[in-house]
Amino acid sequence: MTIVPTGTDTPAAAPAGKGVGPLLRAWRERRRVSQLELALRADSSARHISFVETGRSRPSEEMVLRLAEHLDVPVRERNSLLLAAGYAPHYPETPLDDPALDALREGLERLIQGYEPYPALVVDAGYDVVAANRGITMLLDGLPESLLQPPLNAMRLTLHPQGMAPRIRNLGEWRGHLLAQMERQIALHRSEPLRALYEEVAAYPAPEAADAGADGDSGDEPSPSVPYFALPMRIEHDGRVLSFVSSISTFNTPMDVTVSELAIETFLPADPATAKYLHALGD
């Protein structure tokens, strides 16, 4: 398993003709918070918030960061707010292969290796894979080389008609889950590369073979009667149907743009048969 550096988007500058006020108002409205409520959270006044949003008052750097914190603005977008207010970015964007992030990379490697034989990977804000363990390699076995050229993209690998999609027995449900997840990310981060990726993968056709097998019958064994506790991804591997539920973790209170956009996705066996099969492969 290796960590592969990937490119990241540069912080977006404020739209032409707009200062920090309209941007803050847009975030406040997106969060459905009134000026009074935001003022109470930020130890300010509704009058001052109104003046900031209309451009009658220029907020201090501290105030911009405080409002962004209470509006749960992503770290990259906090830098954009500071730029729009005339201040320098507060959060660095350190390349993942920078020596300053050695401890982070080593920690991620140990974490996903320790999760084996279950699949685990780390992705960036554009769903490019920056690290993966042997469980993920197993799921990708047999995919065409054209899809395995770096940088690997988790969404493209999963939904491409020549990727994992034909193997996913409940592709309709899983595809809908992934697209909805991307829609939420687009609304939060306003990323054009992410929107372009969404439009690409949303246009992929759903293979009929996957839809035909959506009931979970592999043809070799009966569908397991397991009461799933979350939506599983049911994927065929070497003649067996394996079931996984995924969990996504991010860093708490990140102080770097790169770190803030990393996500660790782990796949937990959703039934005893899947767990037994994976442990047998690892022996």
Side-chain angles (χ1 to χ4, degrees):
M1 186 279 303
T2 57
I3 289 188
V4 182
T6 62
T8 54
D9 303 336
T10 56
K18 290 187 177 182
V20 68
L23 295 179
L24 282 170
R25 182 174 63 248
W27 279 108
R28 179 180 61 77
E29 292 174 347
R30 182 177 302 179
R31 298 296 188 230
R32 299 182 179 180
V33 176
S34 68
Q35 290 181 343
L36 178 58
E37 184 177 357
L38 178 58
L40 292 174
R41 293 181 186 179
D43 193 25
S44 184
S45 68
R47 178 184 177 87
H48 182 58
I49 299 297
S50 175
F51 278 19
V52 168
E53 290 186 354
T54 58
R56 296 179 63 184
S57 177
R58 182 189 182 216
S60 66
E61 181 179 5
E62 179 186 0
M63 176 59 73
V64 173
L65 291 171
R66 191 188 312 165
L67 295 176
E69 174 71 23
H70 288 290
L71 291 173
D72 195 24
V73 177
V75 171
R76 182 182 294 278
E77 297 299 331
R78 296 184 192 191
N79 278 346
S80 297
L81 289 173
L82 289 168
L83 287 170
Y87 302 110
H90 180 76
Y91 300 94
E93 185 174 359
T94 309
L96 194 56
D97 58 350
D98 191 286
L101 296 184
D102 282 350
L104 171 71
R105 294 195 308 274
E106 293 170 3
L108 290 173
E109 289 178 357
R110 288 195 299 269
L111 179 63
I112 63 176
Q113 285 178 347
Y115 200 70
E116 294 174 353
Y118 306 152
L121 74 163
V122 183
V123 298
D124 64 14
Y127 293 97
D128 282 344
V129 179
V130 299
N133 69 4
R134 288 181 292 180
I136 292 293
T137 302
M138 174 202 70
L139 295 180
L140 301 182
D141 184 45
L143 294 189
E145 287 297 324
S146 59
L147 287 179
L148 298 177
Q149 298 299 317
L152 303 181
N153 186 274
M155 289 296 180
R156 188 175 292 116
L157 286 169
T158 303
L159 297 178
H160 196 282
Q162 295 180 3
M164 294 168 60
R167 306 176 184 180
I168 300 177
R169 305 307 296 269
N170 58 335
L171 179 60
E173 288 181 306
W174 194 250
R175 179 177 181 274
H177 155 68
L178 293 182
L179 293 179
Q181 176 180 309
M182 294 184 73
E183 289 170 354
R184 291 192 296 271
Q185 290 298 104
I186 290 170
L188 183 63
H189 293 287
R190 303 184 304 162
S191 168
E192 288 305 318
L194 185 58
R195 180 175 296 278
L197 176 65
Y198 172 85
E199 292 175 353
E200 175 191 337
V201 299
Y204 291 160
E208 293 182 4
D211 290 339
D215 60 359
D217 184 4
S218 66
D220 297 324
E221 55 186 345
S223 175
S225 55
V226 176
Y228 294 120
F229 48 88
L231 176 66
M233 176 182 70
R234 306 198 68 238
I235 184 168
E236 190 170 346
H237 179 267
D238 199 20
R240 295 175 179 266
V241 176
L242 307 179
S243 296
F244 298 96
V245 292
S246 69
S247 174
I248 298 177
S249 303
T250 57
F251 287 91
N252 186 36
T253 319
M255 300 300 293
D256 185 282
V257 174
T258 300
V259 176
S260 74
E261 295 179 342
L262 294 177
I264 306 159
E265 184 165 14
T266 55
F267 291 85
L268 180 71
D271 56 47
T274 298
K276 181 179 179 180
Y277 177 74
L278 293 174
H279 280 284
L281 286 180
D283 292 340

